[in-house]
Amino acid sequence: MTRQQVLDLYFMDARCKLIELAAFLDRVERASGESDFRHEALVKALEHLSLNEPSRAKQVLLSLSDPTSEPIAAAPGKGACGAWPGATPSAP
Amino acid sequence: MRYIEPHAHMVSRTTDDYEAMVTAGCAAVCEPAFWAGFDRGSVHGFRDYFCQLTDYEPKRAARFQLPHYSWLCINPKESEDMGLAREVLQIIPEFLKRPSVLGIGEIGLNKNTRNELTILQEHVDLAATHNQLILVHTPHLEDKLKGTRLILDLLKSDSRIHPSRVIIDHVEEHTVEMVLDAGFWAGITLYPESKATPARAIDMVEQAGMRNIWLNCACDWGRSEPLAVPRTALEMRRRGHSPEAIDHLVYGNPLRFLSQNPRFQLA
Ligand SMILES: [Zn+2]
């Protein structure tokens, strides 16, 4: 596809998701109480959007991933929350 | 169009979903053993589930002339209880004889624990002993990268395992290359929130090439979309992919992998 074709197909969808993301960050900021590692991880992952090469999706995923390599002793639960809490987990 | 749905948890879906899939061109559906959303209390619960997968569900699909196949295992979400997991592993061989069983799956990791790894290894032993195909589930979200690496290390270090007979499912942009580079098949799962969207799935296919990749909807009792594969085929059309290329990805590729088990026959 040409860049024009990609824009024709996906610009409105991307614009919609961008505004949703902006509104979400505003909503978190307006809300009361403490935030947690998920907010921080999302803000940090945003940095990868300004990369100058087409690996932004991969870099965002890597940035939200557990970077360690050793299996853990026991499962803290069954679910995943989408961001790595760090070596000392504080479950959401 | 025609397609094969290689990963769907139909026990959690309605008969209307079967009808919609067949209407959209589904030529066969394959169902890996999965977690019920709660922990089954004993090995008897698994025996009933394996009967459901290998007896009842193929009959339900047959009402729509849809061949139904299954994969058997205890899901990594339940393998923290190694005692129960080993009891389940013991009853699997008797079900491997059933005519619609394609292999061992979906095995893998969930939270990347030592017990999960031990039970994964025991499933791999079972598959190797019985010369079975393997379908691997990679963990969710933040656990996927680490889990995929652990799974690949385990499989690559086992000389009995031929990568061409193993599909590593739920790859995303950060794991697809390592899976394909190691010679395994890669599955891309289309989900509304987690895993991949149709647009991202096609991006991955366009970059990695479609040789050893399949698409699946992995529909279950959670938020998921039984028609995600045909919808992605439509998205490929919008991008200008040819009908032949789409057929290759959504029909030819799963057919090629699954036909490694001669039991896999289309109606
Ligand atoms: Zn599944």
Side-chain angles (χ1 to χ4, degrees):
Chain A
M1 279 195 294
T2 64
R3 288 193 177 129
Q4 281 303 317
Q5 286 170 324
V6 174
L7 286 166
D8 288 347
L9 268 181
Y10 293 109
F11 176 78
M12 282 306 291
D13 180 56
R15 179 184 187 276
C16 170
K17 286 170 179 161
L18 178 63
I19 297 167
E20 283 293 326
L21 177 59
F24 164 73
L25 292 171
D26 288 348
R27 204 175 303 138
V28 172
E29 197 168 320
R30 281 196 311 270
S32 59
E34 288 295 305
S35 183
D36 67 35
F37 65 92
R38 292 172 296 176
H39 181 209
E40 205 176 305
L42 198 79
V43 171
K44 189 143 183 55
L46 286 176
E47 291 168 12
H48 299 288
L49 299 191
S50 46
L51 274 175
N52 275 322
E53 53 175 277
S55 65
R56 296 175 188 86
K58 178 179 178 178
Q59 293 305 325
V60 165
L61 283 161
L62 288 173
S63 127
L64 294 168
S65 294
D66 176 353
T68 66
S69 56
E70 285 302 307
I72 58 174
K78 287 194 199 289
C81 70
W84 187 55
T88 50
S90 57
Chain B
M1 70 164 288
R2 57 183 184 173
Y3 76 100
I4 291 168
E5 178 49 74
H7 187 147
H9 301 291
M10 298 309 294
V11 303
S12 313
R13 309 298 310 193
T14 64
T15 300
D16 291 346
D17 289 334
Y18 271 122
E19 187 177 26
M21 289 164 72
V22 173
T23 304
C26 190
V29 63
C30 307
E31 176 151 6
F34 185 49
W35 185 54
F38 61 93
D39 289 348
R40 295 177 181 90
S42 75
V43 69
H44 305 299
F46 284 88
R47 182 181 293 280
D48 289 346
Y49 179 45
F50 295 158
C51 287
Q52 185 182 18
L53 285 177
T54 57
D55 183 29
Y56 177 71
E57 213 55 41
K59 287 181 189 150
R60 202 157 75 106
R63 288 172 58 196
F64 301 95
Q65 284 72 50
L66 182 66
H68 176 286
Y69 294 93
S70 55
W71 301 75
L72 302 178
C73 73
I74 176 168
N75 191 270
K77 277 200 167 83
E78 283 166 302
S79 58
E80 275 293 89
D81 181 348
M82 296 213 296
L84 175 61
R86 285 176 173 145
E87 283 183 72
V88 176
L89 277 157
Q90 277 183 1
I91 67 164
I92 290 176
E94 70 187 83
F95 286 94
L96 292 178
K97 300 183 187 103
R98 298 205 170 182
S100 61
V101 176
L102 295 177
I104 299 296
E106 53 185 308
I107 56 173
L109 299 174
N110 181 50
K111 295 303 292 180
N112 303 322
T113 71
R114 288 191 205 120
N115 286 2
E116 289 170 12
L117 259 180
T118 302
I119 296 303
L120 171 60
Q121 178 65 61
E122 293 180 19
H123 276 102
V124 170
D125 290 340
L126 182 71
T129 306
H130 294 268
N131 193 30
Q132 296 289 311
L133 296 174
I134 294 177
L135 193 162
V136 179
H137 159 99
T138 52
H140 304 277
L141 305 170
E142 72 271 20
D143 300 314
K144 184 179 299 294
L145 175 71
K146 174 177 177 177
T148 304
R149 286 178 174 151
L150 288 167
I151 289 164
L152 289 179
D153 286 348
L154 183 148
L155 292 171
K156 286 196 290 188
S157 68
D158 192 327
S159 63
R160 301 169 300 173
I161 299 302
H162 305 290
S164 62
R165 291 174 56 81
V166 180
I167 180 127
I168 313 268
D169 218 331
H170 318 317
V171 300
E172 290 182 64
E173 288 87 340
H174 57 326
T175 56
V176 62
E177 287 163 41
M178 66 175 91
V179 167
L180 291 172
D181 287 351
F184 296 94
W185 278 71
I188 301 177
T189 298
L190 305 151
Y191 265 3
E193 280 175 342
S194 59
K195 305 190 171 64
T197 58
R200 285 174 50 214
I202 304 167
D203 291 340
M204 280 186 263
V205 168
E206 286 173 349
Q207 290 170 84
M210 58 169 80
R211 226 190 90 67
N212 286 347
I213 294 181
W214 78 25
L215 302 182
N216 63 74
C217 76
C219 59
D220 57 17
W221 37 259
R223 287 198 68 203
S224 47
E225 157 63 291
L227 297 184
V229 172
R231 285 192 205 288
T232 304
L234 186 64
E235 183 80 10
M236 289 179 77
R237 282 307 297 257
R238 293 174 75 214
R239 286 201 195 181
H241 288 275
S242 69
E244 294 74 27
I246 295 167
D247 188 69
H248 181 100
L249 180 66
V250 302
Y251 182 84
N253 274 5
L255 177 63
R256 195 154 49 87
F257 179 83
L258 296 164
S259 296
Q260 293 183 89
N261 186 327
R263 283 177 180 166
F264 186 79
Q265 299 284 334
L266 297 173

